[in-house]
Amino acid sequence: MEKKRKISIIGSTGSIGTQALEVIEKLQDKFEIIALAGGNNTELLTKQAEKFHPKYIYAAKPISVAGVKTLNSLDEIAQNKENDIILVACSGKIGLKPTLKAIENGIDIALANKETLVMAGDIVMQKAKECNVKIIPVDSEHCAIHQCIKDISQVDKLIITASGGPFLHKTVEEMKNATVTETLHHPRWNMGKKITVDSATLMNKGLEIIEAHHLFGFDYDNIEVVVHPQSIVHSAIEYKDGSVIAQLGLPSMHIPIQYAITYPERFEGIKSHSFSFAEIARLDFEKPDFEKFPTVKLAYHAGRLGGTATACLNAANEEAVFAFLDGKIKLYQIYEITKTMLEEHKLIKSPTIDEIFEVDAITREKTKKLIASIN
Ligand code: MG
């Protein structure tokens, strides 16, 4: 990059945000931080601001740091055309509106927030096309596919890998009685709580199928999931002629984060030059067990329904995950509750953003009621 790339991070205190700052620290001559935005962890955000000297900060709670201007909303970051790129690293629906606003302002997006595409993929991708904005995926699977694709029109199939989570080789019975601690013990990745539960039920893979559908414009019939416990092959694509291209690397989020924020260039990073096939020795693959992990099928179903179905799926699942983390329901009930909500959902085929947020709110309310009624 000839000039320093001007970047803002929405969600700088979360798992992706903190790792992004580690990448930026390593590549400090390549970046200038315009703004950092966090949620409630103002202590960490303050430390980050003192260390990285952004021009602006925003937090969900009042915050002030000497020499840094405090903003009143995420929109102020998204509208600031000083930005070359914004890393959307927050979790939840809060990422959607600022992402759309940034796209409207012609700012490229490094996207780590799944909800943006799961809730409103059609609108977001259409807007990105209209505004000629790049959306570079940070999610490791999609980042892998992004790296594999040379000519998308010649690609037949996307192959998304799944680690299988902590219950891959446990029985259905063991999974049904899983505690929160067992569920949060992911064998490969260290992530936030919500996504770790999603990885245990495999709903995370379900959401990623929907993400992939929007990002790459593929039919659900041409998106496949394969279990790969070592998490070395991050995903692959199959060309029309049968050639398969996969992206490999050690399971570290630093690599996809760095790829997304430096694209199309590459630099020596935190994890460079440490890959050894001989040390890894073997790579295993197996078919996902959709009976044990029915959430994947449910996500395919919601994806094929399209419209507001995926926003409903996302909202119901998230509320159910929170209830599980609170000890209110069992792990397998996350699927049952989400399925019920999807069955009861009144689909809007081509919704507006406001309709999507309405579906989100209504679904959450109904999901909470259902959870209260089964307790
Ligand atoms: Mg992923």
Side-chain angles (χ1 to χ4, degrees), residues 132-153:
N132 200 17
V133 155
K134 286 199 264 305
I135 296 184
I136 319 294
V138 171
D139 207 348
S140 61
E141 295 78 2
H142 308 78
C143 184
I145 291 170
H146 194 270
Q147 295 182 58
C148 294
I149 291 176
K150 204 165 156 194
D151 178 355
I152 200 163
S153 69

Side-chain angles (χ1 to χ4, degrees), residues 114 138-142 160-161 189 191 195 199 204-205 208 211 234 253:
K114 282 194 171 69
V138 171
D139 207 348
S140 61
E141 295 78 2
H142 308 78
I160 297 179
T161 53
W189 300 95
M191 309 170 287
I195 185 171
S199 298
N204 184 48
K205 224 31 67 175
E208 288 179 355
E211 239 188 312
H234 298 307
M253 282 312 292

Side-chain angles (χ1 to χ4, degrees), residues 219-274:
D219 282 348
Y220 287 98
D221 292 347
N222 299 327
I223 305 173
E224 202 177 276
V225 174
V226 66
V227 172
H228 167 48
Q230 291 94 351
S231 294
I232 296 294
V233 176
H234 298 307
S235 277
I237 60 172
E238 185 177 349
Y239 279 97
K240 287 183 203 298
D241 61 3
S243 265
V244 175
I245 314 277
Q247 186 262 342
L248 288 75
L250 295 176
S252 156
M253 282 312 292
H254 288 121
I255 298 170
I257 292 168
Q258 179 172 320
Y259 174 84
I261 63 176
T262 61
Y263 180 81
E265 292 188 59
R266 296 194 188 248
F267 302 97
E268 190 176 317
I270 294 172
K271 289 289 186 312
S272 297
H273 313 301
S274 52

Side-chain angles (χ1 to χ4, degrees), residues 91-326:
S91 75
K93 63 184 168 186
I94 196 168
L96 176 51
K97 282 190 175 167
T99 303
L100 275 172
K101 186 128 283 173
I103 293 171
E104 282 164 11
N105 283 284
I107 301 163
D108 288 339
I109 304 289
L111 189 63
N113 174 272
K114 282 194 171 69
E115 288 81 359
T116 297
L117 292 175
V118 172
M119 289 176 74
D122 289 333
I123 297 173
V124 170
M125 294 311 290
Q126 179 59 34
K127 188 136 277 178
K129 208 174 150 192
E130 279 166 26
C131 301
N132 200 17
V133 155
K134 286 199 264 305
I135 296 184
I136 319 294
V138 171
D139 207 348
S140 61
E141 295 78 2
H142 308 78
C143 184
I145 291 170
H146 194 270
Q147 295 182 58
C148 294
I149 291 176
K150 204 165 156 194
D151 178 355
I152 200 163
S153 69
Q154 313 233 36
V155 179
D156 240 6
K157 192 169 75 178
L158 309 182
I159 305 162
I160 297 179
T161 53
S163 72
F167 303 118
L168 178 61
H169 295 125
K170 296 264 164 45
T171 63
V172 174
E173 219 37 55
E174 283 172 309
M175 199 176 149
K176 279 191 175 175
N177 296 313
T179 62
V180 172
T181 317
E182 284 164 349
T183 306
L184 290 180
H185 186 74
H186 195 278
R188 298 284 163 206
W189 300 95
N190 187 6
M191 309 170 287
K193 277 186 186 174
K194 195 272 177 176
I195 185 171
T196 306
V197 176
D198 283 346
S199 298
T201 63
L202 247 64
M203 179 58 97
N204 184 48
K205 224 31 67 175
L207 300 176
E208 288 179 355
I209 291 162
I210 299 166
E211 239 188 312
H213 161 80
H214 290 295
L215 272 170
F216 305 109
F218 271 66
D219 282 348
Y220 287 98
D221 292 347
N222 299 327
I223 305 173
E224 202 177 276
V225 174
V226 66
V227 172
H228 167 48
Q230 291 94 351
S231 294
I232 296 294
V233 176
H234 298 307
S235 277
I237 60 172
E238 185 177 349
Y239 279 97
K240 287 183 203 298
D241 61 3
S243 265
V244 175
I245 314 277
Q247 186 262 342
L248 288 75
L250 295 176
S252 156
M253 282 312 292
H254 288 121
I255 298 170
I257 292 168
Q258 179 172 320
Y259 174 84
I261 63 176
T262 61
Y263 180 81
E265 292 188 59
R266 296 194 188 248
F267 302 97
E268 190 176 317
I270 294 172
K271 289 289 186 312
S272 297
H273 313 301
S274 52
F275 190 88
S276 158
F277 272 108
E279 259 171 50
I280 289 157
R282 58 180 286 177
L283 301 170
D284 295 297
F285 300 93
E286 59 187 271
K287 257 191 162 167
D289 181 347
F290 289 141
E291 300 307 315
K292 193 162 128 190
F293 300 108
T295 52
V296 183
K297 265 191 179 167
L298 194 64
Y300 269 113
H301 174 60
R304 288 189 173 107
L305 286 173
T308 48
T310 52
C312 168
L313 175 92
N314 176 64
N317 173 65
E318 190 169 305
E319 288 303 325
V321 169
F322 291 155
F324 168 72
L325 288 169
D326 279 350

